[in-house]
Amino acid sequence: MTTPLTCRNYIDGQWLSAASGATLESRNPANKHEVVATFPRSASVDVDTAVAAARQAYRSWRLVPAPARAEYIFKVGELLSKYKEELAQLMSREMGKPLTEARGDVQEGIDCAFYSAAEGRRLFGQTTPSEMPNKFAMTVRMPIGVCALITPWNFPIAIPCWKAMPALVCGNTIILKPAEDTPACATKLVEIFAEAGLPPGVINLVHGVGEEVGKALVAHAGVDLVSFTGSSETGAEVGATCGRTHKRVCLEMGGKNAQIVMEDADLELALDGAVWGAFGTTGQRCTATSRLILHRDIKEKFTAMFKERTSKLRLGVGTDPNTDVGPIINERQLQRVSKYLDIAREEGAIVLMGGEIASEGELQHGYFFQPTILDRVIPQMRVAQEEIFGPVVALIEVSSFDEAISVLNDTNYGLSSSIYTRDINRAFVAMRDLEAGITYINGPTIGAEVHLPFGGVKHTGNGHREAGTTALDIFTEWKTVYVDFSGSLQRAQIDNRE
Ligand code: NAP
């Protein structure tokens, strides 16, 4: 076992303990006896200090030309590439995902850095003719101010990058509050931003418990915007506080994503997609496939194929190159997944495979759950409606294309969706009618790219989209500018009309 890292808050360019001196520990989910890091249990007094630093830094950072701000982010991208393997190894130990996926998580941060940095030379506004003579009209993007970024543990590098990078290029200053389960990843990331030379106060990091430090940040009068990714329950609370305190808020929340397999699909291709979508990252992705909607003509055959392939998945420690499926993040989440299996059985679903906590051999030291397939699930069951966030997939049989669409749409969530079909007409109907922020045709529900908008409808989001150019709409406000060079008063809608 390696010596635990000592993580600190980063405020105004200084690495600090919590004012109270209190600390917490993060542990390896594949081996609960291994402490990965200790980190500050911050309180509202630490939040006050971070907000004051971010407010002060904002006064000058907003005036740095955007292409110059972007150069820091470009440098962060280069440093992330340099430290990619180190970060991936740390992530695999702290969060549990297999190394190949951890490398992908860091790569998403790198891609986001270069994409966001390029926006520093764009940040386009509009020019448009005025209805008056000798008058000029345009729009420009303005930064918003101090942004609180509250992030989950499942993409401990990619998600903070998605938020921090566009926010900084747009001229905001930031305070990152990472998940309690992944403080070491967040600390390494902020070290990289510091190494890139960002001025003090432009990026700040405050560790701690969501109910304490997260809540304090969201309610703080000195915070102008909250960008939150996490569960729909917490998101609703964050949104309510932001409403009461007049903050801008971007919420990226839960999912109950489904893959449809029609009778005309390429079944081998659909199988690859289903296995990766359901069990990649141990089902702990907001875009994970948690429902497989199968046309009755292929249901039996596809189920047998899916079962066979799932039986070959190797559960294990993420740092072992032979592992396909890593641990669940913590004991609470393991018990939650287990509880959903009880609910499934009570509701009449059949556990076709898995369904139990895995504790043989070295797995006994961690939080492992067997890859699980539930059969004979009907759309009204709780396991077909509620986000489980683990390696559990529900099979639902349908008799027609219309029924498949309607079953997929029948949840409160709307993040990702997928359909496997060779029928071009059905593919286009699905693109139009699936109620989700993302639709894949002949691809799994997971696999977002950083230059395309990312987010969901219904209880998954509040209308914003991260990534792509749409991220700029979260982190800027439009200003409309009129320049009258006529030298006289011109009254719109009056002087130029009878
Ligand atoms: P979570 O419990 O909602 O926590 C998310 C973040 O919010 C953590 O940093 C947490 O801190 C903090 N927090 C908790 N209570 C808070 C409060 N009252 N006020 C302010 N902040 C608070 O979610 P999670 O379990 O970490 O992540 C899993 C969820 O995230 C799933 O629902 C998943 O679908 C969703 N997710 C969505 C997306 C997307 O883009 N739509 C992407 C990834 C994940 P602590 O860690 O200290 O509790």
PDB file of all heavy atoms in Angstrom, residues 453-479:
ATOM      1  N   PRO A 453     -22.673  19.374 -27.742  1.00  0.00           N
ATOM      2  CA  PRO A 453     -23.415  19.687 -26.519  1.00  0.00           C
ATOM      3  C   PRO A 453     -23.758  18.425 -25.736  1.00  0.00           C
ATOM      4  O   PRO A 453     -24.071  17.388 -26.327  1.00  0.00           O
ATOM      5  CB  PRO A 453     -24.690  20.361 -27.042  1.00  0.00           C
ATOM      6  CG  PRO A 453     -24.346  20.836 -28.402  1.00  0.00           C
ATOM      7  CD  PRO A 453     -23.344  19.872 -28.943  1.00  0.00           C
ATOM      8  N   PHE A 454     -23.709  18.550 -24.399  1.00  0.00           N
ATOM      9  CA  PHE A 454     -23.990  17.401 -23.536  1.00  0.00           C
ATOM     10  C   PHE A 454     -24.966  17.819 -22.446  1.00  0.00           C
ATOM     11  O   PHE A 454     -24.714  18.777 -21.707  1.00  0.00           O
ATOM     12  CB  PHE A 454     -22.690  16.902 -22.887  1.00  0.00           C
ATOM     13  CG  PHE A 454     -22.893  15.683 -22.031  1.00  0.00           C
ATOM     14  CD1 PHE A 454     -22.755  14.410 -22.557  1.00  0.00           C
ATOM     15  CD2 PHE A 454     -23.239  15.803 -20.689  1.00  0.00           C
ATOM     16  CE1 PHE A 454     -22.953  13.272 -21.775  1.00  0.00           C
ATOM     17  CE2 PHE A 454     -23.443  14.675 -19.896  1.00  0.00           C
ATOM     18  CZ  PHE A 454     -23.298  13.414 -20.445  1.00  0.00           C
ATOM     19  N   GLY A 455     -26.060  17.090 -22.327  1.00  0.00           N
ATOM     20  CA  GLY A 455     -27.019  17.381 -21.261  1.00  0.00           C
ATOM     21  C   GLY A 455     -28.329  16.705 -21.584  1.00  0.00           C
ATOM     22  O   GLY A 455     -28.467  16.046 -22.615  1.00  0.00           O
ATOM     23  N   GLY A 456     -29.297  16.856 -20.678  1.00  0.00           N
ATOM     24  CA  GLY A 456     -30.534  16.120 -20.875  1.00  0.00           C
ATOM     25  C   GLY A 456     -31.780  16.941 -20.630  1.00  0.00           C
ATOM     26  O   GLY A 456     -31.719  18.083 -20.163  1.00  0.00           O
ATOM     27  N   VAL A 457     -32.910  16.299 -20.951  1.00  0.00           N
ATOM     28  CA  VAL A 457     -34.215  16.941 -20.805  1.00  0.00           C
ATOM     29  C   VAL A 457     -34.905  16.386 -19.548  1.00  0.00           C
ATOM     30  O   VAL A 457     -34.370  15.555 -18.845  1.00  0.00           O
ATOM     31  CB  VAL A 457     -35.082  16.730 -22.070  1.00  0.00           C
ATOM     32  CG1 VAL A 457     -34.367  17.301 -23.290  1.00  0.00           C
ATOM     33  CG2 VAL A 457     -35.397  15.246 -22.307  1.00  0.00           C
ATOM     34  N   LYS A 458     -36.110  16.849 -19.299  1.00  0.00           N
ATOM     35  CA  LYS A 458     -36.918  16.430 -18.140  1.00  0.00           C
ATOM     36  C   LYS A 458     -36.111  16.570 -16.845  1.00  0.00           C
ATOM     37  O   LYS A 458     -35.367  17.555 -16.693  1.00  0.00           O
ATOM     38  CB  LYS A 458     -37.474  15.023 -18.386  1.00  0.00           C
ATOM     39  CG  LYS A 458     -38.323  14.968 -19.671  1.00  0.00           C
ATOM     40  CD  LYS A 458     -39.235  13.768 -19.742  1.00  0.00           C
ATOM     41  CE  LYS A 458     -38.603  12.572 -20.343  1.00  0.00           C
ATOM     42  NZ  LYS A 458     -39.526  11.470 -20.653  1.00  0.00           N
ATOM     43  N   HIS A 459     -36.162  15.594 -15.932  1.00  0.00           N
ATOM     44  CA  HIS A 459     -35.499  15.780 -14.633  1.00  0.00           C
ATOM     45  C   HIS A 459     -33.974  15.674 -14.719  1.00  0.00           C
ATOM     46  O   HIS A 459     -33.296  15.791 -13.708  1.00  0.00           O
ATOM     47  CB  HIS A 459     -36.008  14.750 -13.630  1.00  0.00           C
ATOM     48  CG  HIS A 459     -37.443  14.958 -13.251  1.00  0.00           C
ATOM     49  ND1 HIS A 459     -38.026  14.365 -12.156  1.00  0.00           N
ATOM     50  CD2 HIS A 459     -38.433  15.698 -13.827  1.00  0.00           C
ATOM     51  CE1 HIS A 459     -39.299  14.713 -12.080  1.00  0.00           C
ATOM     52  NE2 HIS A 459     -39.568  15.519 -13.089  1.00  0.00           N
ATOM     53  N   THR A 460     -33.440  15.435 -15.906  1.00  0.00           N
ATOM     54  CA  THR A 460     -31.979  15.335 -16.036  1.00  0.00           C
ATOM     55  C   THR A 460     -31.305  16.702 -16.056  1.00  0.00           C
ATOM     56  O   THR A 460     -30.145  16.823 -15.642  1.00  0.00           O
ATOM     57  CB  THR A 460     -31.620  14.555 -17.327  1.00  0.00           C
ATOM     58  OG1 THR A 460     -32.096  13.224 -17.182  1.00  0.00           O
ATOM     59  CG2 THR A 460     -30.125  14.524 -17.584  1.00  0.00           C
ATOM     60  N   GLY A 461     -31.980  17.717 -16.536  1.00  0.00           N
ATOM     61  CA  GLY A 461     -31.290  18.998 -16.691  1.00  0.00           C
ATOM     62  C   GLY A 461     -32.212  20.177 -16.486  1.00  0.00           C
ATOM     63  O   GLY A 461     -33.396  20.010 -16.210  1.00  0.00           O
ATOM     64  N   ASN A 462     -31.647  21.364 -16.607  1.00  0.00           N
ATOM     65  CA  ASN A 462     -32.495  22.558 -16.513  1.00  0.00           C
ATOM     66  C   ASN A 462     -32.330  23.448 -17.739  1.00  0.00           C
ATOM     67  O   ASN A 462     -32.385  24.663 -17.665  1.00  0.00           O
ATOM     68  CB  ASN A 462     -32.245  23.334 -15.205  1.00  0.00           C
ATOM     69  CG  ASN A 462     -30.872  23.980 -15.169  1.00  0.00           C
ATOM     70  OD1 ASN A 462     -29.960  23.530 -15.837  1.00  0.00           O
ATOM     71  ND2 ASN A 462     -30.718  25.043 -14.396  1.00  0.00           N
ATOM     72  N   GLY A 463     -32.075  22.783 -18.878  1.00  0.00           N
ATOM     73  CA  GLY A 463     -32.107  23.524 -20.138  1.00  0.00           C
ATOM     74  C   GLY A 463     -30.751  23.916 -20.670  1.00  0.00           C
ATOM     75  O   GLY A 463     -30.654  24.401 -21.800  1.00  0.00           O
ATOM     76  N   HIS A 464     -29.694  23.712 -19.899  1.00  0.00           N
ATOM     77  CA  HIS A 464     -28.355  24.057 -20.383  1.00  0.00           C
ATOM     78  C   HIS A 464     -27.717  22.850 -21.057  1.00  0.00           C
ATOM     79  O   HIS A 464     -28.163  21.726 -20.895  1.00  0.00           O
ATOM     80  CB  HIS A 464     -27.468  24.492 -19.218  1.00  0.00           C
ATOM     81  CG  HIS A 464     -27.897  25.785 -18.618  1.00  0.00           C
ATOM     82  ND1 HIS A 464     -27.667  26.987 -19.243  1.00  0.00           N
ATOM     83  CD2 HIS A 464     -28.543  26.069 -17.470  1.00  0.00           C
ATOM     84  CE1 HIS A 464     -28.155  27.955 -18.496  1.00  0.00           C
ATOM     85  NE2 HIS A 464     -28.699  27.432 -17.413  1.00  0.00           N
ATOM     86  N   ARG A 465     -26.643  23.087 -21.769  1.00  0.00           N
ATOM     87  CA  ARG A 465     -25.830  22.012 -22.325  1.00  0.00           C
ATOM     88  C   ARG A 465     -24.369  22.320 -22.041  1.00  0.00           C
ATOM     89  O   ARG A 465     -23.881  23.410 -22.391  1.00  0.00           O
ATOM     90  CB  ARG A 465     -26.019  21.894 -23.843  1.00  0.00           C
ATOM     91  CG  ARG A 465     -27.392  21.409 -24.252  1.00  0.00           C
ATOM     92  CD  ARG A 465     -27.599  19.934 -23.903  1.00  0.00           C
ATOM     93  NE  ARG A 465     -28.910  19.460 -24.316  1.00  0.00           N
ATOM     94  CZ  ARG A 465     -30.015  19.524 -23.566  1.00  0.00           C
ATOM     95  NH1 ARG A 465     -29.989  20.053 -22.363  1.00  0.00           N
ATOM     96  NH2 ARG A 465     -31.164  19.059 -24.009  1.00  0.00           N
ATOM     97  N   GLU A 466     -23.678  21.354 -21.402  1.00  0.00           N
ATOM     98  CA  GLU A 466     -22.233  21.506 -21.235  1.00  0.00           C
ATOM     99  C   GLU A 466     -21.548  21.083 -22.534  1.00  0.00           C
ATOM    100  O   GLU A 466     -22.181  20.585 -23.455  1.00  0.00           O
ATOM    101  CB  GLU A 466     -21.750  20.630 -20.076  1.00  0.00           C
ATOM    102  CG  GLU A 466     -22.262  21.157 -18.747  1.00  0.00           C
ATOM    103  CD  GLU A 466     -21.535  20.588 -17.544  1.00  0.00           C
ATOM    104  OE1 GLU A 466     -21.318  19.376 -17.498  1.00  0.00           O
ATOM    105  OE2 GLU A 466     -21.182  21.378 -16.644  1.00  0.00           O
ATOM    106  N   ALA A 467     -20.222  21.308 -22.578  1.00  0.00           N
ATOM    107  CA  ALA A 467     -19.393  20.959 -23.740  1.00  0.00           C
ATOM    108  C   ALA A 467     -19.862  21.745 -24.978  1.00  0.00           C
ATOM    109  O   ALA A 467     -20.793  22.548 -24.901  1.00  0.00           O
ATOM    110  CB  ALA A 467     -19.404  19.460 -23.979  1.00  0.00           C
ATOM    111  N   GLY A 468     -19.181  21.503 -26.111  1.00  0.00           N
ATOM    112  CA  GLY A 468     -19.538  22.232 -27.327  1.00  0.00           C
ATOM    113  C   GLY A 468     -19.508  23.742 -27.111  1.00  0.00           C
ATOM    114  O   GLY A 468     -19.077  24.235 -26.061  1.00  0.00           O
ATOM    115  N   THR A 469     -19.966  24.465 -28.092  1.00  0.00           N
ATOM    116  CA  THR A 469     -20.040  25.920 -27.921  1.00  0.00           C
ATOM    117  C   THR A 469     -21.153  26.303 -26.950  1.00  0.00           C
ATOM    118  O   THR A 469     -21.174  27.424 -26.427  1.00  0.00           O
ATOM    119  CB  THR A 469     -20.301  26.637 -29.270  1.00  0.00           C
ATOM    120  OG1 THR A 469     -21.430  26.007 -29.872  1.00  0.00           O
ATOM    121  CG2 THR A 469     -19.114  26.570 -30.199  1.00  0.00           C
ATOM    122  N   THR A 470     -22.071  25.370 -26.694  1.00  0.00           N
ATOM    123  CA  THR A 470     -23.167  25.665 -25.772  1.00  0.00           C
ATOM    124  C   THR A 470     -22.660  25.908 -24.341  1.00  0.00           C
ATOM    125  O   THR A 470     -23.345  26.547 -23.546  1.00  0.00           O
ATOM    126  CB  THR A 470     -24.199  24.518 -25.773  1.00  0.00           C
ATOM    127  OG1 THR A 470     -23.505  23.279 -25.783  1.00  0.00           O
ATOM    128  CG2 THR A 470     -25.104  24.597 -26.976  1.00  0.00           C
ATOM    129  N   ALA A 471     -21.463  25.387 -24.010  1.00  0.00           N
ATOM    130  CA  ALA A 471     -20.899  25.651 -22.674  1.00  0.00           C
ATOM    131  C   ALA A 471     -20.677  27.158 -22.486  1.00  0.00           C
ATOM    132  O   ALA A 471     -20.758  27.670 -21.365  1.00  0.00           O
ATOM    133  CB  ALA A 471     -19.585  24.901 -22.491  1.00  0.00           C
ATOM    134  N   LEU A 472     -20.413  27.856 -23.590  1.00  0.00           N
ATOM    135  CA  LEU A 472     -20.168  29.302 -23.480  1.00  0.00           C
ATOM    136  C   LEU A 472     -21.432  30.035 -23.035  1.00  0.00           C
ATOM    137  O   LEU A 472     -21.359  31.084 -22.397  1.00  0.00           O
ATOM    138  CB  LEU A 472     -19.689  29.867 -24.825  1.00  0.00           C
ATOM    139  CG  LEU A 472     -18.477  29.151 -25.445  1.00  0.00           C
ATOM    140  CD1 LEU A 472     -18.160  29.751 -26.809  1.00  0.00           C
ATOM    141  CD2 LEU A 472     -17.271  29.228 -24.520  1.00  0.00           C
ATOM    142  N   ASP A 473     -22.579  29.470 -23.383  1.00  0.00           N
ATOM    143  CA  ASP A 473     -23.841  30.110 -22.984  1.00  0.00           C
ATOM    144  C   ASP A 473     -24.084  29.975 -21.480  1.00  0.00           C
ATOM    145  O   ASP A 473     -24.816  30.763 -20.894  1.00  0.00           O
ATOM    146  CB  ASP A 473     -25.018  29.501 -23.755  1.00  0.00           C
ATOM    147  CG  ASP A 473     -24.925  29.802 -25.239  1.00  0.00           C
ATOM    148  OD1 ASP A 473     -24.397  30.870 -25.587  1.00  0.00           O
ATOM    149  OD2 ASP A 473     -25.358  28.961 -26.037  1.00  0.00           O
ATOM    150  N   ILE A 474     -23.483  28.941 -20.865  1.00  0.00           N
ATOM    151  CA  ILE A 474     -23.611  28.805 -19.414  1.00  0.00           C
ATOM    152  C   ILE A 474     -22.762  29.877 -18.725  1.00  0.00           C
ATOM    153  O   ILE A 474     -23.200  30.506 -17.770  1.00  0.00           O
ATOM    154  CB  ILE A 474     -23.116  27.414 -18.948  1.00  0.00           C
ATOM    155  CG1 ILE A 474     -23.939  26.311 -19.595  1.00  0.00           C
ATOM    156  CG2 ILE A 474     -23.130  27.306 -17.421  1.00  0.00           C
ATOM    157  CD1 ILE A 474     -23.377  24.899 -19.382  1.00  0.00           C
ATOM    158  N   PHE A 475     -21.543  30.066 -19.230  1.00  0.00           N
ATOM    159  CA  PHE A 475     -20.556  30.858 -18.486  1.00  0.00           C
ATOM    160  C   PHE A 475     -20.426  32.300 -18.959  1.00  0.00           C
ATOM    161  O   PHE A 475     -19.499  33.002 -18.553  1.00  0.00           O
ATOM    162  CB  PHE A 475     -19.194  30.148 -18.521  1.00  0.00           C
ATOM    163  CG  PHE A 475     -19.218  28.842 -17.758  1.00  0.00           C
ATOM    164  CD1 PHE A 475     -19.160  27.621 -18.416  1.00  0.00           C
ATOM    165  CD2 PHE A 475     -19.349  28.839 -16.375  1.00  0.00           C
ATOM    166  CE1 PHE A 475     -19.209  26.422 -17.709  1.00  0.00           C
ATOM    167  CE2 PHE A 475     -19.398  27.651 -15.660  1.00  0.00           C
ATOM    168  CZ  PHE A 475     -19.329  26.439 -16.332  1.00  0.00           C
ATOM    169  N   THR A 476     -21.329  32.747 -19.838  1.00  0.00           N
ATOM    170  CA  THR A 476     -21.321  34.164 -20.229  1.00  0.00           C
ATOM    171  C   THR A 476     -22.750  34.689 -20.253  1.00  0.00           C
ATOM    172  O   THR A 476     -23.701  33.919 -20.326  1.00  0.00           O
ATOM    173  CB  THR A 476     -20.743  34.371 -21.649  1.00  0.00           C
ATOM    174  OG1 THR A 476     -21.490  33.570 -22.576  1.00  0.00           O
ATOM    175  CG2 THR A 476     -19.275  34.029 -21.733  1.00  0.00           C
ATOM    176  N   GLU A 477     -22.827  36.000 -20.217  1.00  0.00           N
ATOM    177  CA  GLU A 477     -24.125  36.646 -20.446  1.00  0.00           C
ATOM    178  C   GLU A 477     -23.968  37.549 -21.658  1.00  0.00           C
ATOM    179  O   GLU A 477     -22.900  38.113 -21.886  1.00  0.00           O
ATOM    180  CB  GLU A 477     -24.507  37.495 -19.243  1.00  0.00           C
ATOM    181  CG  GLU A 477     -24.823  36.635 -18.067  1.00  0.00           C
ATOM    182  CD  GLU A 477     -25.837  37.267 -17.152  1.00  0.00           C
ATOM    183  OE1 GLU A 477     -27.037  37.047 -17.370  1.00  0.00           O
ATOM    184  OE2 GLU A 477     -25.425  37.995 -16.246  1.00  0.00           O
ATOM    185  N   TRP A 478     -25.044  37.679 -22.394  1.00  0.00           N
ATOM    186  CA  TRP A 478     -24.988  38.543 -23.570  1.00  0.00           C
ATOM    187  C   TRP A 478     -25.157  39.994 -23.162  1.00  0.00           C
ATOM    188  O   TRP A 478     -26.020  40.324 -22.350  1.00  0.00           O
ATOM    189  CB  TRP A 478     -26.104  38.182 -24.555  1.00  0.00           C
ATOM    190  CG  TRP A 478     -25.826  36.912 -25.298  1.00  0.00           C
ATOM    191  CD1 TRP A 478     -26.499  35.736 -25.173  1.00  0.00           C
ATOM    192  CD2 TRP A 478     -24.810  36.701 -26.265  1.00  0.00           C
ATOM    193  NE1 TRP A 478     -25.949  34.798 -26.009  1.00  0.00           N
ATOM    194  CE2 TRP A 478     -24.917  35.359 -26.696  1.00  0.00           C
ATOM    195  CE3 TRP A 478     -23.810  37.500 -26.831  1.00  0.00           C
ATOM    196  CZ2 TRP A 478     -24.063  34.810 -27.654  1.00  0.00           C
ATOM    197  CZ3 TRP A 478     -22.963  36.959 -27.771  1.00  0.00           C
ATOM    198  CH2 TRP A 478     -23.094  35.629 -28.178  1.00  0.00           C
ATOM    199  N   LYS A 479     -24.343  40.847 -23.760  1.00  0.00           N
ATOM    200  CA  LYS A 479     -24.593  42.292 -23.663  1.00  0.00           C
ATOM    201  C   LYS A 479     -24.858  42.803 -25.076  1.00  0.00           C
ATOM    202  O   LYS A 479     -24.120  42.470 -26.017  1.00  0.00           O
ATOM    203  CB  LYS A 479     -23.385  43.024 -23.071  1.00  0.00           C
ATOM    204  CG  LYS A 479     -23.614  44.525 -23.043  1.00  0.00           C
ATOM    205  CD  LYS A 479     -22.528  45.252 -22.331  1.00  0.00           C
ATOM    206  CE  LYS A 479     -22.763  45.219 -20.839  1.00  0.00           C
ATOM    207  NZ  LYS A 479     -21.854  46.132 -20.123  1.00  0.00           N
TER     208      LYS A 479
END
